[in-house]
Amino acid sequence: MTFQALRGTSDLLAGELARWEAVERTVRRLARRYGYQELRTPVIEDAALFSRSVGETSNIVQKEMFRFEDRGGREIVLRPEGTAAVVRAYLEHHLHKTQGFAKLFYLGPMFRAERPQAGRMRQFHQFGVEAVGSSSPWLDAEVITLCLEMLKACGLTDASLLLASMGCRADQAKSAERLRKRLAPHRAELCKDCQSRFDKNVFRVLDCKNPTCREIVWSEKRSPFVLCAECEAHFAQVKRALADVGIAFNESAVFARGLDYYTRTVFEVRSSRLGAQDAVTAGGRYDHLVKELGGPDVGAIGFAAGIERLLMAVHGGTPSDAADDHRAGIYVAVARPDLLAGGFSLVQRLRRRGVTALMDYEGRSLKAQFREADDARCQWVAILGEQELKTQSVTVKDLAQGSQRTIALDAFVEEAAQGVKAACHR
Ligand code: ATP
Ligand code: MG
């Protein structure tokens, strides 16, 4: 009997993981540079958290959540997104009282029961940023700038930023009316989902992936969004701030986000290198969510980026700090199986001093051990033979340069440890 990973999930092996680690390092480095702190929330949450925030009629809640009842009869879901959980944690840990304003980021797996295809998985991974507790338009500009800087530092060279304002709740009521009027003549042509969205949340039609719905939406050149003076001023300030720091954006008349919690600024970053699933990042302001989840009436904004899609879009080019084809580390090779004890004690001494050290425990030939050292991209092979054991020394071969020398064991460990230290301080 054999098993396979479930449809829409995948294993990540060492070669591919190097690119993931580069993304994770880049995200952490930049998030901290902008003053965001990491938050890790559980993978399982109360189902109601998402129906209340993302919205009962959203795709995510209606069709995409992995939902189950636990042994105590509670409705649990595998988290489909990060924002609601971040706000839950912000309130649960009283960050609204102790800090007021909190700048948080996360990295981790999300789960949606979607039809798997390129760039669409059932377990996928996101990194995201949430600034909770402020309505300042400068924060919109900061979050969008950080988003683009992260994508660029991860190697995305063709990011295009789509920007819109959906206005406040009062504006949205008026805009929805206007959009319904414009779409009414095409109502019968819309997909089944959009037919029912039409009355409940008509903005979702703008976000629909169905080709016919897309065509109908795109044939309309006028934005349905009516903005009040305050929302207009907010949006103008966001755009000015972005322009001031050299961030180019496209304002689309028919762009909106299909989650209930969005207000005012919404954005998406797309890449032309992706096919139908062309959005790498999506985000926006959610000024009512904190209150709706039982907290104070404060604004917030954030985004989430899909790591699988990001890596698809930078394929070919590697994330900037992933180029890792240089040799490093020491392979300890033993000439005979009875020297394994000496080898084991040497790799341990090296590892404790911070040096990457590998060895083989199977008693393979020296030739096989050299091959393994080469495959593992080690820089040195330290050979322990009978002679070396007697004189407490080691013969070191530099695989990059081909040179070889014999050196006292203690001196070798010291030299290797100093080398690591020097590399760390470079
Ligand atoms: P889409 O419109 O492609 O379904 P979405 O609007 O559902 O995306 P969000 O919930 O805003 O996406 O998530 C933000 C990002 O997470 C997306 O831009 C995408 O990169 C990634 N993402 C979302 N769903 C998936 C998925 N099923 N598989 C892989 N990545 C995903
Ligand atoms: Mg989706």
Side-chain angles (χ1 to χ4, degrees):
M1 185 161 184
T2 58
F3 293 98
Q4 288 182 327
L6 295 176
R7 228 162 87 76
T9 71
S10 63
D11 301 311
L12 291 171
L13 275 64
E16 179 68 5
L17 263 182
R19 305 174 72 224
W20 282 70
E21 283 177 14
V23 167
E24 290 162 11
R25 270 198 306 276
T26 305
V27 166
R28 291 201 165 92
R29 179 167 51 83
L30 283 172
R32 293 193 179 118
R33 188 182 295 171
Y34 280 67
Y36 290 74
Q37 288 183 321
E38 186 163 355
L39 171 67
R40 299 190 194 184
T41 64
V43 159
I44 49 175
E45 293 274 358
D46 189 329
L49 173 65
F50 299 100
S51 40
R52 205 164 297 165
S53 55
V54 176
E56 206 67 69
T57 61
S58 63
N59 270 355
I60 291 182
V61 172
Q62 274 191 341
K63 303 188 223 163
E64 296 173 0
M65 288 205 299
F66 283 102
R67 194 190 274 264
F68 62 95
E69 201 174 279
D70 74 0
R71 286 161 192 268
R74 285 166 289 257
E75 277 285 307
I76 309 286
V77 291
L78 297 183
R79 63 176 183 197
E81 61 111 53
T83 305
V86 169
V87 174
R88 179 203 45 73
Y90 168 86
L91 293 172
E92 184 167 340
H93 301 285
H94 309 292
L95 300 188
H96 55 303
K97 292 185 189 139
T98 53
Q99 292 179 223
F101 176 49
K103 301 213 290 187
L104 305 164
F105 76 95
Y106 60 86
L107 277 152
M110 304 294 162
F111 305 84
R112 295 187 196 174
E114 300 196 69
R115 191 169 66 78
Q117 49 194 297
R120 201 172 282 290
M121 313 270 299
R122 291 188 174 160
Q123 173 173 341
F124 60 101
H125 299 76
Q126 287 184 333
F127 61 84
V129 157
E130 312 288 350
V132 189
S134 163
S135 299
S136 166
W138 295 99
L139 209 52
D140 304 37
E142 176 179 286
V143 165
I144 293 170
T145 306
L146 172 57
C147 172
L148 287 161
E149 295 274 313
M150 281 177 166
L151 297 175
K152 192 168 131 201
C154 287
L156 189 71
T157 50
D158 71 332
S160 77
L161 169 64
L162 205 58
L163 192 65
S165 175
M166 295 178 70
C168 57
R169 288 278 188 255
D171 292 346
Q172 286 179 11
K174 288 182 207 154
S175 308
E177 231 11 80
R178 186 193 280 209
L179 185 57
R180 272 191 206 102
K181 254 191 216 131
R182 287 186 193 165
L183 289 176
H186 307 284
R187 189 164 175 175
E189 300 155 54
L190 296 172
C191 73
K192 220 172 84 225
D193 284 340
C194 284
Q195 304 265 352
S196 73
R197 286 170 181 145
F198 192 89
D199 293 315
K200 291 185 209 137
N201 189 342
V202 68
F203 299 127
R204 297 243 166 76
V205 178
L206 301 181
D207 207 20
C208 183
K209 307 274 180 307
N210 178 294
T212 318
C213 300
R214 280 201 169 190
E215 220 165 278
I216 294 169
V217 164
W218 287 346
S219 66
E220 175 61 63
K221 299 282 181 290
R222 301 161 298 170
S223 169
F225 291 109
V226 224
L227 299 184
C228 64
E230 259 178 67
C231 287
E232 187 69 62
H234 181 101
F235 194 39
Q237 178 59 69
V238 174
K239 289 188 279 185
R240 260 199 313 276
L242 287 175
D244 282 352
V245 293
I247 305 275
F249 52 85
N250 299 313
E251 253 185 280
S252 165
V254 289
F255 166 63
R257 299 277 310 138
L259 282 65
D260 267 2
Y261 52 59
Y262 285 119
T263 46
R264 290 194 166 171
T265 315
V266 287
F267 65 99
E268 237 175 59
V269 179
R270 295 182 181 172
S271 163
S272 59
R273 300 228 185 86
L274 298 174
Q277 271 55 254
D278 64 349
V280 181
T281 304
R285 184 162 271 291
Y286 46 95
D287 285 339
H288 301 289
L289 185 58
V290 179
K291 189 166 178 222
E292 276 160 18
L293 292 178
D297 190 5
V298 291
I301 179 164
F303 72 81
I307 300 182
E308 283 84 357
R309 284 197 206 166
L310 172 59
L311 287 174
M312 277 168 70
V314 299
H315 201 72
T318 11
S320 51
D321 73 345
D324 196 19
D325 57 350
H326 67 285
R327 289 179 176 275
I330 296 168
Y331 192 96
V332 174
V334 291
R336 286 196 330 247
D338 62 302
L339 296 169
L340 277 171
F344 187 62
S345 108
L346 177 56
V347 282
Q348 264 335 105
R349 279 182 74 186
L350 288 166
R351 288 167 178 166
R352 290 201 174 120
R353 297 294 303 276
V355 182
T356 300
L358 308 178
M359 75 175 285
D360 161 67
Y361 302 120
E362 307 296 332
R364 291 197 178 96
S365 68
L366 268 181
K367 194 174 158 200
Q369 293 177 68
F370 264 87
R371 202 179 312 124
E372 216 175 89
D374 193 44
D375 288 347
R377 308 291 300 160
C378 286
Q379 184 169 0
W380 298 278
V381 178
I383 308 154
L384 279 180
E386 203 170 348
Q387 194 55 34
E388 283 87 357
L389 196 67
K390 247 185 241 155
T391 55
Q392 282 297 297
S393 61
V394 64
T395 299
V396 182
K397 178 156 188 178
D398 186 323
L399 291 182
Q401 289 165 13
S403 56
Q404 186 169 313
R405 69 204 159 111
T406 301
I407 172 176
L409 210 51
D410 291 346
F412 172 62
V413 171
E414 197 53 42
E415 192 182 288
Q418 292 306 327
V420 170
K421 225 162 139 188
C424 290
H425 289 289
R426 261 205 295 276

